[in-house]
Amino acid sequence: MDARPDQGEDATTQRFQQKRDRILDAAAQLINRHGVKGMTFVDVAELVGLNTTSVTYYFKRKELLAAAVLDRSIDRLEELIRDAAAQPTPRARVARYVQAHFELHARIQLNRERPYTVLSDIRALGEPFRTDLTARYVGALRAVREFFAPPLTARDKVLRTIRAHVLVQNMFWLPGWLALYSVDDYPRLSRRMIEIFEHGITPAAAAWTPQLLTVKTPSRTAEAEGMPENFARAATCLINEKGYRGASVEQIASELNVTKGSFYHHLEAKDELVLECFRRSHERIELVQRAAIDANGSQRDRLASAIATLLDVQLCSDFPLLRTTALQVLPSEWRTDMLERSTRLARRFAGMMIDGISEGSVRALDPLIASQVVMGTLNAAYDLRGWISTLPDPTAISLYGSTVAHGLLADPVDFAVD
């Protein structure tokens, strides 16, 4: 009897699993490029060399395929967390978690590991998938929170949650800027990022004294005539909370108590509104940066004030910045343009840090990486605004800002936000 492994029930099962994995890999790539909304069975079938009917044999509906891809990504995330959690100290756990992510992205770039899908599009799924996967993600975030020392007070628990959130979200932001570097650079990038998470950007014992900046009204807002500005505000909040799919034209119009016809009177399509929301968000960041550059004090003082002002927007205002996760739904040429503008904003922060290093007010660090940490931290802050809403605004801004000022491990020095 021929017992070769490519025959019999085991071989059939193996072939089934291999083809299923190829479909998941293709779907993962498409979701990373276009989001759940933009992933289609036709494109998946083309990537794996199958017809659409063959894909539907494995996954009857697109949402089942998307949920399976995201579920597999959470499996991968949980593996990274378990690996880091085995380290003996908070410092070692944070370092291993960062290092493991860079190693994973290196293997993916070298085609030694399957694609890893960003988890932001969980919001785009219907029920019960959204609730189930969100619960798994929250469980993973709680596991990362255990990396840090046990809380002694309610404030300590809040701080641990903030630190876990900042760490996880910055790892999710890596694909937004890693393409600027060679895979050979990843070990150095990992070490430099770990240093920032360990020590922050502030020299030891230096004061972190932010002041909320007075910022000029964005030109787009000043020129807007009522409804377009209101649509941008409503769309930004809905997309941040529910994702692109959850923020339907009907819901945006309902938030403003107007008709869909009114929406289409001002805008041709929802993608155009998302693009406008990004433009407004980038313009507002740029205006804060300019106000900080024109302010008095050291470069550290100016950075502190810019970060605190943007955190105030994300945590406390009724018109936050649009999350970068919405980039996935934009056409590729628009997405590239928005990523380039985000990079320019990060480089302005880097320039402020370089000047601060020269004058001694900022710790010696890699300013390009530190600026991406700042961008990732600011972008992710919106997610915690409901969770920390019971804190006074200055306390919330102070605790969240401490992750940039002092890192994720030091006892933060309380600082007043004027």
Side-chain angles (χ1 to χ4, degrees):
M1 178 178 179
D2 191 346
R4 289 178 298 176
D6 61 343
Q7 293 187 359
E9 184 177 347
D10 289 345
T12 301
T13 302
Q14 185 179 30
R15 285 194 296 270
F16 177 92
Q17 188 61 46
Q18 288 173 344
K19 191 171 292 187
R20 184 179 185 274
D21 285 339
R22 286 171 54 208
I23 292 170
L24 289 171
D25 292 346
Q29 294 177 51
L30 291 168
I31 291 174
N32 283 343
R33 294 176 196 164
H34 310 298
V36 167
K37 173 181 176 290
M39 184 266 292
T40 68
F41 276 162
V42 172
D43 290 337
V44 171
E46 183 178 350
L47 277 179
V48 296
L50 297 172
N51 57 46
T52 304
T53 304
S54 297
V55 175
T56 58
Y57 172 74
Y58 292 86
F59 298 96
K60 301 298 183 186
R61 294 185 290 119
K62 187 179 86 166
E63 199 157 51
L64 287 170
L65 174 56
V69 170
L70 292 165
D71 190 66
R72 188 174 69 167
S73 288
I74 294 180
D75 288 341
R76 191 91 60 90
L77 176 63
E78 289 172 342
E79 290 175 8
L80 297 175
I81 293 170
R82 286 193 295 270
D83 177 39
Q87 299 299 313
T89 65
R91 186 179 301 274
R93 290 191 280 270
V94 169
R96 180 56 197 154
Y97 188 70
V98 174
Q99 182 184 33
H101 273 84
F102 277 92
E103 291 171 353
L104 171 62
H105 284 289
R107 292 194 300 272
I108 291 172
Q109 288 297 314
L110 297 172
N111 294 317
R112 296 173 183 170
E113 186 139 358
R114 291 192 168 93
Y116 179 85
T117 310
V118 294
L119 297 173
S120 57
D121 252 22
I122 288 177
R123 294 182 178 91
L125 294 175
E127 297 296 356
F129 307 110
R130 182 170 63 244
T131 295
D132 292 344
L133 289 170
T134 298
R136 287 195 64 195
Y137 170 73
V138 171
L141 182 63
R142 287 172 177 162
V144 173
R145 192 169 64 184
E146 296 302 312
F147 288 0
F148 302 98
L152 300 177
T153 64
R155 175 183 175 280
D156 289 344
K157 185 176 181 179
V158 171
L159 183 59
R160 280 210 314 168
T161 300
I162 290 172
R163 288 172 167 176
H165 181 71
V166 167
L167 178 59
V168 169
Q169 291 296 322
N170 267 285
M171 295 304 97
F172 288 163
W173 178 232
L174 287 181
W177 57 273
L178 271 184
L180 300 172
Y181 296 89
S182 165
V183 172
D184 292 339
D185 294 324
Y186 285 12
R188 184 190 69 81
L189 301 179
S190 174
R191 292 194 297 271
R192 299 290 83 83
M193 180 172 273
I194 290 168
E195 288 177 355
I196 294 163
F197 284 140
E198 287 182 346
H199 305 293
I201 69 174
T202 305
W208 182 263
T209 54
Q211 293 183 335
L212 296 184
L213 299 166
T214 301
V215 181
K216 295 179 181 178
T217 302
S219 59
R220 290 177 182 275
T221 302
E223 295 168 2
E225 296 181 359
M227 196 56 65
E229 167 71 8
N230 291 338
F231 273 126
R233 185 188 304 267
T236 296
C237 293
L238 282 171
I239 293 169
N240 281 352
E241 292 170 6
K242 300 183 178 182
Y244 180 86
R245 175 176 170 177
S248 65
V249 172
E250 291 87 347
Q251 284 188 303
I252 295 169
S254 177
E255 285 286 315
L256 300 170
N257 197 28
V258 299
T259 65
K260 286 176 61 178
S262 179
F263 176 95
Y264 289 114
H265 172 73
H266 294 286
L267 297 155
E268 293 183 1
K270 193 168 79 171
D271 283 354
E272 182 184 344
L273 178 56
V274 175
L275 183 63
E276 180 62 19
C277 291
F278 268 118
R279 286 171 175 160
R280 289 172 185 259
S281 291
H282 288 155
E283 184 178 11
R284 292 163 72 196
I285 294 172
E286 187 174 10
L287 287 170
V288 169
Q289 290 177 328
R290 289 177 181 174
I293 290 170
D294 292 340
N296 296 323
S298 68
Q299 289 295 330
R300 181 179 68 249
D301 295 333
R302 295 171 184 176
L303 278 165
S305 296
I307 291 168
T309 301
L310 290 168
L311 284 176
D312 182 57
V313 170
Q314 290 295 74
L315 294 172
C316 310
S317 78
D318 63 352
F319 193 175
L321 305 173
L322 186 63
R323 296 255 357 225
T324 53
T325 52
L327 280 169
Q328 287 177 293
V329 305
L330 292 176
S332 58
E333 64 274 15
W334 290 357
R335 184 167 64 251
T336 299
D337 182 61
M338 291 300 102
L339 279 172
E340 287 177 354
R341 185 157 185 184
S342 176
T343 299
R344 288 197 296 272
L345 294 171
R347 287 183 182 276
R348 179 171 286 134
F349 278 128
M352 295 172 72
M353 292 178 194
I354 291 170
D355 292 343
I357 293 169
S358 296
E359 72 181 15
S361 65
V362 173
R363 194 176 59 79
L365 44 70
D366 186 317
L368 293 177
I369 299 191
S371 67
Q372 292 293 352
V373 170
V374 169
M375 292 294 286
T377 299
L378 292 172
N379 177 66
Y382 180 87
D383 282 351
L384 288 188
R385 65 188 292 157
W387 196 83
I388 61 178
S389 60
T390 57
L391 298 174
D393 290 350
T395 302
I397 295 170
S398 176
L399 290 178
Y400 207 100
S402 72
T403 62
V404 174
H406 308 294
L408 303 181
L409 301 168
D411 290 333
V413 178
D414 285 333
F415 49 88
V417 180
D418 296 332

